[in-house]
């Protein structure tokens, strides 16, 4: 490899864990699991991103309780029975050189939903006829997500404490399954985010009201997870940096919150936005490449905590610029990774740092390096493009 390594390809070390580079696969629901179980399909799905060179490979939102699933098919970690399947996945990811992460989630009032490709709406009679019945939901208040959605039960203090315990138990299982990183899902309108946002959380008890009250549940989850998650393993926290509503959660709230998360032992804030209702990104905003990067930059600068940038990061040079300008510590790729699971290996070629294909598994890299010499003799580079 060339001596001047782009920041994208420098290792990222947090606590006792080091990722080989600064690319992370975004958490992305597959909704393909049966009873939350990790199966061969998940192993192959996540495995291909490890083989593709990602530094960190993250599971989809993984339910800490059965009723905390978003849709039937969500991956789960609500029982010890989930551990062996997940352990197979983490062993493979490690063997392929990647660090493994699991995103822990409770869906709150956004549960009991159809899969995206079924319409993203509430489970209806057609779904019930196919055996997928709606289930009871919980939320800060009894206000449903929208028309046709299950009316949630407003959590009382005992219910809140029980869900905090479910997150902590899930973290202990994640450790037993061999994960290196836990990411708590505090964004996109799921249970934690709905406690944070004043547009959903209209409670007047200790878990509502002012910012400190609305943060109480989220910080309680972070503290409980940190207590059960080994001290040498990093803890990430995904937030909706703004919720996209004029009277909603703001970037200033996120900065206050990020400082509190840091004190609680969170190591990195994954800076998403929006999703209070159906969409997973800021409502009503035009989405240009890197549209959420300013949030990662502001939180990194103002709260002095490591951040991950996510959202329409497409090109290697774009990713490198984000890191080089100090806007974030980690590049998180969602749909671009679906499009190209080998994005990091291809990025190393695009940034010109891997002429000998040394970032590839040697069973492929050896051949590609040899091929490059032949291609160069006919005026093409190692990827087949004209020189
Ligand atoms: C298929 C799909 C599933 C997703 N599932 C999750 C999820 O489980 N948890 C989460 O926090 N975000 C989820 N997201 C949001 C992504 O993690 C990411 O923040 C978003 O897609 C923006 O990044 P991108 O432009 O690189 O795709 C999902 C996105 C997609 C496309």
């Amino acid at each position: 490899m060339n001596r001047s390594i782009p920041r994208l390809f420098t290792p990222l070390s947090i606590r006792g864990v080091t990722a080989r580079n600064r690319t992370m696969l975004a958490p992305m629901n597959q909704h393909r699991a049966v009873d939350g179980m990790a199966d061969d399909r998940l192993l192959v799905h996540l495995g291909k991103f490890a083989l593709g060179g990602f530094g960190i490979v993250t599971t989809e939102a993984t339910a800490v309780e059965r009723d905390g699933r978003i849709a039937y098919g969500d991956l789960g970690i609500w029982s010890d029975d989930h551990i062996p399947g997940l352990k197979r996945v983490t062993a493979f990811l490690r063997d392929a050189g990647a660090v493994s992460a699991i995103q822990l989630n409770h869906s709150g009032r956004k549960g009991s939903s159809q899969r995206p490709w079924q319409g993203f709406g509430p489970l209806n009679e057609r779904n019930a006829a196919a055996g997928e019945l709606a289930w009871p939901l919980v939320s800060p208040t009894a206000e449903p997500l929208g028309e046709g959605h299950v009316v949630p039960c407003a959590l009382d203090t005992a219910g809140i404490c029980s869900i905090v315990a479910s997150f902590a138990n899930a973290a202990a299982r994640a450790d037993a399954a061999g994960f290196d990183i836990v990411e708590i899902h505090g964004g996109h309108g799921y249970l934690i985010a709905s406690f944070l946002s004043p547009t959903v959380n209209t409670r007047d008890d200790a878990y509502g009201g002012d910012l400190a009250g609305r943060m109480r549940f989220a910080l309680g989850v972070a503290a409980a997870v940190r207590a059960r998650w080994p001290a040498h393993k990093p803890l990430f926290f995904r937030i909706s940096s703004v919720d996209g509503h004029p009277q909603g959660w703001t970037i200033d709230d996120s900065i206050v919150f990020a400082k509190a998360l840091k004190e609680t032992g969170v190591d990195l804030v994954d800076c998403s936005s929006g999703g209070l209702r159906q969409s997973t990104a800021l409502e009503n905003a035009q989405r240009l490449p890197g549209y959420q990067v300013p949030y990662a930059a502001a939180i990194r600068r103002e709260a002095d905590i490591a951040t991950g940038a996510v959202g329409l990061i497409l090109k290697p040079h774009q990713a490198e610029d984000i890191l080089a300008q100090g806007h974030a510590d980690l590049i998180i790729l969602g749909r671009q990774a679906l499009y190209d699971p080998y994005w990091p290996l291809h990025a190393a070629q695009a940034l010109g740092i891997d002429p000998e294909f040394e970032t590839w598994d040697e069973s492929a890299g050896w051949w590609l390096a040899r091929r490059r010499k032949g291609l160069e003799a006919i005026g093409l580079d190692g990827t087949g493009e004209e020189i």
Side-chain angles (χ1 to χ4, degrees):
M1 250 203 231
N2 188 309
R3 283 220 179 112
S4 66
I5 300 173
R7 200 158 161 71
L8 189 59
F9 286 95
T10 57
L12 177 66
S13 292
I14 302 179
R15 296 185 186 249
V17 172
T18 299
R20 59 186 159 187
N21 61 45
R22 287 161 187 267
T23 60
M24 172 166 130
L25 176 73
M28 279 185 286
N29 279 115
Q30 301 299 295
H31 304 297
R32 296 283 197 189
V34 176
D35 290 330
M37 293 292 178
D39 57 9
D40 285 357
R41 188 188 179 99
L42 186 82
L43 176 72
V44 173
H45 172 70
L46 292 179
K48 69 183 188 263
F49 299 102
L51 295 174
F54 277 85
I56 304 172
V57 174
T58 317
T59 70
E60 62 203 88
T62 306
V64 300
E65 293 187 356
R66 183 188 291 276
D67 285 352
R69 287 181 288 181
I70 302 163
Y72 281 100
D74 284 18
L75 194 60
I77 191 161
W78 63 80
S79 86
D80 289 351
D81 294 344
H82 292 107
I83 295 172
L86 292 169
K87 199 167 186 172
R88 245 179 106 223
V89 174
T90 62
F92 183 85
L93 299 180
R94 185 174 305 111
D95 193 48
V99 161
S100 60
I102 182 167
Q103 190 188 51
L104 302 181
N105 189 41
H106 191 296
S107 58
R109 68 178 192 164
K110 284 182 87 174
S112 200
S113 293
Q114 298 167 331
R115 296 169 182 84
W117 55 92
Q118 293 174 327
F120 238 149
L123 289 173
N124 58 27
E125 283 164 15
R126 201 160 24 88
N127 303 114
E132 297 197 333
L133 279 77
W135 68 84
L137 304 179
V138 295
S139 188
T141 72
E143 193 203 339
L145 181 64
E147 210 183 313
H149 288 262
V150 171
V151 176
C153 173
L155 281 164
D156 60 15
T157 304
I160 289 173
C161 293
S162 159
I163 293 178
V164 169
S166 295
F167 271 98
N169 291 337
R173 289 188 196 108
D175 182 42
F179 283 99
D180 301 304
I181 298 172
V182 156
E183 173 169 292
I184 297 170
H185 195 352
H188 302 170
Y190 298 112
L191 186 64
I192 293 176
S194 60
F195 267 91
L196 293 171
S197 177
T199 67
V200 183
N201 183 352
T202 52
R203 298 170 70 103
D204 55 9
D205 68 352
Y207 290 94
D210 62 6
L211 185 57
R214 285 182 278 114
M215 294 194 313
R216 194 177 310 279
F217 173 61
L219 293 175
V221 169
V225 166
R226 185 73 270 178
R228 295 282 291 282
W229 185 236
H232 68 279
K233 294 190 178 185
L235 178 58
F236 291 5
F237 198 105
R238 174 165 270 203
I239 62 169
S240 283
S241 312
V242 298
D243 62 21
H245 190 282
Q247 277 81 49
W249 179 265
T250 66
I251 187 67
D252 290 339
D253 294 333
S254 285
I255 290 164
V256 173
F257 183 47
K259 287 178 182 165
L261 287 173
K262 186 179 175 183
E263 275 178 26
T264 314
V266 168
D267 301 295
L268 181 141
V269 179
D270 170 352
C271 301
S272 186
S273 68
L276 260 190
R277 300 190 190 274
Q278 243 89 4
S279 130
T280 54
L282 183 58
E283 282 96 338
N284 305 322
Q286 189 182 25
R287 293 173 199 167
L288 298 172
Y291 63 101
Q292 294 175 143
V293 173
Y295 306 132
I299 291 168
R300 187 173 192 264
R301 189 178 60 242
E302 302 298 330
D304 192 25
I305 188 167
T307 58
V310 64
L312 279 187
I313 300 174
L314 305 171
K315 306 277 187 196
H317 283 101
Q318 178 196 6
E320 177 59 15
D321 284 351
I322 292 166
L323 296 173
Q325 290 173 24
H327 295 331
D329 302 87
L330 181 65
I331 297 297
I332 303 172
L333 298 168
R335 290 160 295 177
Q336 195 66 351
L338 295 181
Y339 179 70
D340 179 8
Y342 273 39
W343 191 94
L345 295 181
H346 294 154
Q349 292 303 313
L351 295 175
I353 57 158
D354 189 20
E356 298 303 323
F357 291 87
E358 286 164 332
T359 54
W360 293 65
D361 186 273
E362 60 187 348
S363 66
W366 186 85
W367 289 100
L368 294 174
R370 287 189 67 183
R371 186 186 73 157
R372 181 181 64 83
K373 294 189 180 71
L375 289 174
E376 278 176 2
I378 56 170
L380 302 176
D381 72 10
T383 71
E385 295 294 325
E386 282 184 27
I387 296 172

